[in-house]
Amino acid sequence: SSFIFFYYIIEKRMGSETFLEVILAILLPPVGVFLRYGCGVEFWICVLLTILGYIPGIIYALYVLVG
């Protein structure tokens, strides 16, 4: 039920492309950021944070993609 609400919010605000990026950012944070920014600084920060801890990588990826 919370997934449906989350999907509804993302879909209404940003469209299906961002929804896919957010799902990938939760599963594999650097992949979601890579789809948007390529091998830029955001991607490498996300890789570093994911290596240091999976949760910081997810938080950063969501911040970069949605914020």
Side-chain angles (χ1 to χ4, degrees), residues 6-64:
F6 182 68
Y7 172 78
Y8 178 77
I9 295 297
I10 299 284
E11 187 69 33
K12 285 294 182 187
R13 278 188 69 192
M14 293 156 217
S16 60
E17 182 178 310
T18 302
F19 178 72
L20 177 63
E21 291 172 347
V22 167
I23 293 302
L24 285 173
I26 293 170
L27 298 175
L28 296 167
V31 175
V33 175
F34 177 78
L35 289 177
R36 168 91 47 99
Y37 295 101
C39 285
V41 174
E42 292 87 357
F43 170 74
W44 292 111
I45 292 172
C46 191
V47 167
L48 178 66
L49 288 172
T50 304
I51 289 170
L52 293 174
Y54 186 67
I55 300 299
I58 291 174
I59 293 170
Y60 178 76
L62 292 175
Y63 173 76
V64 168

